[in-house]
Amino acid sequence: MKLGKVEFCHFLQILALFLCLSGMNQAELTRSRSKPYFQSGRTRTKRSWVWNQFFVLEEYMGTDPLYVGKLHSDVDKGDGSIKYILSGEGASSIFIIDENTGDIHATKRLDREEQAYYTLRAQALDRLTNKPVEPESEFVIKIQDINDNEPKFLDGPYTAGVPEMSPVGTSVVQVTATDADDPTYGNSARVVYSILQGQPYFSVEPKTGVIKTALPNMDREAKDQYLLVIQAKDMVGQNGGLSGTTSVTVTLTDVNDNPPRFPRRSYQYNVPESLPVASVVARIKAADADVGPNAEMEYKIVDGDGLGVFKISVDKDTQEGIITIQKELDFEAKTSYTLRIEAANMHVDPRFLSLGPFSDMTTVKIIVEDVDEPPVFTSHLYSMVVSEAAKVGTIIGTVAAHDPDASNSPVRYSIDRNTDLERYFNIDANSGVITTAKSLDRETNAVHNITVLAMESQNPAQIGRGYVAITILDINDNAPEFAMEYETTVCENAQPGQVIQKISAIDKDDPPNGHQFYFSLTAEAANNHNFTLQDNKDNTATVLTKRNGFRRQEQSVFYLPIFIVDSGSPSLSSTNTLTIRVCDCDADGIAQTCNAEAYILPAGLSTGALIAILACVLTLLVLVLLIVTMRRRKKEPLIFDEERDIRENIVRYDDEGGGEEDTEAFDMAALRNLNIMRDTKTRRDVTPEIQFLSRPTFKSIPDNVIFREFIWERLKEADVDPCAPPYDSLQTYAFEGNGSVAESLSSLDSISSNSDQNYDYLSDWGPRFKRLADMYGTGPDCLYS
C-alpha cells in the first residue's frame, strides 16, 4: 500500500520514538571506576555520569510534552532523597526534568534546521543537604532530522547560451539545488535532477545537474531560444520526496553557417551623365541569414567595362554595397556600363564549408542618360597679355567653346560684367575674339581676371564659363618723383660741404631690368651759392651746403629744384622741389628753433611765459565780471514793497493773425481756454494785493472802452498768475468783441408757424449778405422758386 507524504512523516516520527524508548536503559546512570569523591563527614569513591547521546525527533506535533530520556544515579534508592537539576541550552524553556524521577521532556516543537543539537548539564543533589552526590557533567540532545525541506535553486532562474549546430552532448549550463535537511542522515538531502520541459532538445544529468544538448543541428535561424524547466527532488527521487523547480532560458548563438546570396542575378540603374564625381549610383545587398560578424561582407568589382569608372564599397551599418562614380560620365562617349560584382563573407567558419561557397555574384548594368549640357571651353584658363599702350580695339586673344551634346548647338560669347565692372574689354559674340574697349593702365591694375560666358543658341539657359587672365605689359609712362615728402633743415652755423639731406626716387613703372635714376640741379639752380647736389649712382643723391653762415633774419626758407631722369625708353624726367629751412641748432647739430618770428619777441620772454601771462589776465577779468554780477543781484530785491509802483510793458500788435488755422505764430491754448480759472498765487515779483477780477459784460460799451477794459483784465490776471514770466509781454487774441451788427444767424430763434421761412430780411444786412438774400429770399430775383 502506498503512503502519502503526511502518513509517511507520522510513520517516521513513531519509528523514531520507538527507537528512543527502546534505548532508555542505555541512558541510565551507572557506576564506574573513577577517582575518589570526598564528602563531608565520610569518604567514598566518586561515581561518574555515564550515558549515550539523547535523540529527539524534530517537528513533533503532539499535544503532550515529548519524552526525551531519563537521568538516574545509582545513589538514588527511590526514597526521594535525591533531587535532579538540569541547566544549559534550553533548560526550563525547551527542556524540563522531573526532579524526583529524572525524566526529561521537550515542551516545544524543535526544528533541526534552526538548531541541530543542545548542550545541557545535569546534577544530582541530596535533597536534605542540597549537596551534590554526583559530579556535574554535560550531555547533548541531538535533533533527529525528518524530510521537511524541499530542494531550492538559490541561483535560479538561469540563462545560458550555446552555439547553434552544436553536436549532441554539448554542455550548456549546470544548475544546483540545495536541501536544508541533514545530508548525513537518511536520504532527505540526496537530490536528483530531471527535465520537465525542454525535451527533446536538451537533457540534464540526474546527479550533477549539467544540462546538455540532446539534438544535433539545432538552427538559430529556425528557432533561437528555448525555455527549460528543471526539477530537483530529494529522497533520491523516490516517491514521497520533496521537489523544487527552476527555469533555464537557453539562447542559440550564431555561427557562420549561411553563405551570402544576391536576391537577383542582375540589376539595372539609369544615371544622368551630369551626376558629379563621388555620387552614389546604386546600393545592392546580398542576403545573409547570419548576424553580427558572421554577416559581415565585402564587395568588389571582378569584371566589366566600368572598372575604372565606378567603385564599390561596403556600408558597415547595413552591409550594403555602395556603387559610386570615379570619373565624369559622358553620354556622347559611352551610353552604358556592365559590372560583375562579388559579395563574400569576411569571416568563414571552416566547419561549414560543405554548406556551399560563402560568396555570390551578380551583374549590374548602368545606363547613362543624355542631359543637355552647357558649352565647354577648350581650356579651363586662358592666359593673355597686352601692352598698356594698346589702342582701343586692339585684339588680345580668342576663346573657344563648343556644345558637348549631339545636337552641337551654336555658341554665343559674352563677358560677365561683374568681373569687368569698368568695361575695359569686349568680346565678339560669334568668334570669341577679345579686344580692348578702353585705355589700359598697368599701374592701376596689372592683371585683369575676367569670366567669359558661352551660351547655347538653342537653349540660352545652358551657360558655360571660361576664365581669362589678361596681363598688362608695362611701358615707361610715369616720371620719377621723390620717394617721400622730405623735411630738410640747415643749421645757421653750417659749414661748407656739410651733408644736410639724402634723397631717393620712386617710379610707378616696372621696367624689366629695374630702375636707374639720375639726379641733378635744374639749370636755374645749378649756379646758386647756397647748396649743391651730388648723384651717388645708386638711385640716391646727397644735398650739401656750399657756404657757411645762414641767418634766419635774412632768409628762413630755401627752395632747391632737383631734376630726376629715369632709364626708360624713352626716358622720362621730372623736377621736384626740396624745401630747406634754416634752424637754430645746438652743439650737436640738432635743430631747436626754425621759425623766423621768434626774433620779434622781447628778449628774455619765451612763448611759454607769454601764454602764462595771458592766462593770468583772463583769470582776473573773469573774477571782476563775477563780482560785478553779484553786486547787481544784491541791489535788486526779489519781493517788491507795497508802495512800489508796478509798471508793465504792454506790446501791441496790429496784426490780426491767422486765426485758428495759424498754429505756427501763436499758442492756441490761450484761444481754447479763455475762461480757465487760475489760483491766485503770489508771484515773486508782483505784489499779492492784486486779486483776480471777474470779466464784466461788454454788450453796450463802445469798442475802444471794451478793448481797454479787456486788456486791463488780462493784465491783472497775468500779475497774479505764478506761471507767467517775470516780465510780461502780453499778447491776447481771445477777445471776440461785442458781436456783429447782423446779430445771430441761427434759425433757432426764428418764429414761424410752418416750415417755410421768409429770408427777405437778409437784404437789409448789407452787401455782404446779398448772396444769401438772393439764394433764400422770396423776391422776384430769387434763384429758386
Side-chain angles (χ1 to χ4, degrees), residues 561-578:
I562 299 176
F563 186 70
I564 307 175
V565 181
D566 62 18
S567 58
S569 179
S571 62
L572 296 179
S573 62
S574 66
T575 300
N576 299 264
T577 302
L578 182 67

Side-chain angles (χ1 to χ4, degrees), residues 6-276:
V6 177
E7 292 81 359
F8 183 75
C9 290
H10 290 170
F11 173 75
L12 291 177
Q13 292 175 358
I14 295 172
L15 179 63
L17 183 60
F18 174 76
L19 292 175
C20 289
L21 293 175
S22 64
M24 284 181 60
N25 57 340
Q26 299 179 3
E28 295 182 352
L29 297 174
T30 60
R31 298 181 183 273
S32 64
R33 300 172 185 174
S34 183
K35 294 181 180 180
Y37 178 76
F38 300 95
Q39 279 187 329
S40 61
R42 61 191 178 98
T43 304
R44 75 175 183 87
T45 303
K46 177 184 176 185
R47 300 184 183 276
S48 303
W49 298 93
V50 178
W51 55 71
N52 290 335
Q53 191 176 40
F54 290 138
F55 291 91
V56 179
L57 194 65
E58 70 170 332
E59 304 293 346
Y60 172 70
M61 305 298 292
T63 57
D64 297 331
L66 177 64
Y67 181 76
V68 177
K70 184 180 182 64
L71 297 179
H72 184 71
S73 174
D74 56 1
V75 180
D76 187 3
K77 302 302 183 180
D79 54 2
S81 61
I82 301 300
K83 180 175 64 174
Y84 296 96
I85 297 175
L86 191 65
S87 63
E89 291 181 311
S92 301
S93 60
I94 299 176
F95 301 101
I96 59 175
I97 187 170
D98 189 333
E99 62 179 13
N100 295 319
T101 63
D103 292 333
I104 302 174
H105 290 81
T107 61
K108 294 183 180 180
R109 183 176 63 86
L110 302 177
D111 187 358
R112 189 202 67 83
E113 285 70 41
E114 292 182 2
Q115 188 166 346
Y117 61 89
Y118 294 86
T119 302
L120 293 95
R121 295 183 298 276
Q123 194 174 29
L125 302 176
D126 186 286
R127 189 179 296 275
L128 296 178
T129 62
N130 205 30
K131 293 182 179 180
V133 296
E134 294 285 354
E136 184 183 54
S137 184
E138 290 184 349
F139 65 94
V140 175
I141 298 177
K142 186 174 182 181
I143 311 303
Q144 191 170 3
D145 183 49
I146 65 172
N147 189 20
D148 59 342
N149 290 277
E150 72 276 3
K152 294 182 179 180
F153 292 92
L154 301 180
D155 298 329
Y158 297 85
T159 58
V162 64
E164 63 173 331
M165 312 300 288
S166 295
V168 175
T170 302
S171 296
V172 179
V173 67
Q174 183 178 16
V175 297
T176 303
T178 303
D179 196 320
D181 293 325
D182 188 359
T184 63
Y185 179 77
N187 296 324
S188 299
R190 295 182 63 184
V191 178
V192 294
Y193 301 93
S194 61
I195 182 168
L196 302 182
Q197 179 181 324
Q199 295 174 330
Y201 305 102
F202 298 92
S203 63
V204 61
E205 291 187 356
K207 294 183 179 180
T208 62
V210 175
I211 299 174
K212 299 181 179 180
T213 58
L215 284 181
N217 302 326
M218 284 191 293
D219 192 0
R220 183 199 66 84
E221 288 72 33
K223 185 177 181 180
D224 62 347
Q225 196 172 80
Y226 297 84
L227 180 62
L228 283 62
V229 177
I230 306 297
Q231 181 189 65
K233 191 174 184 180
D234 58 14
M235 299 298 292
V236 201
Q238 297 177 1
N239 292 335
L242 304 180
S243 63
T245 61
T246 187
S247 64
V248 181
T249 302
V250 180
T251 302
L252 297 183
T253 58
D254 186 59
V255 298
N256 192 7
D257 59 338
N258 292 278
R261 292 291 180 263
F262 283 106
R264 296 164 56 183
R265 293 293 91 192
S266 64
Y267 297 86
Q268 180 173 316
Y269 298 96
N270 294 342
V271 179
E273 63 173 336
S274 60
L275 202 64

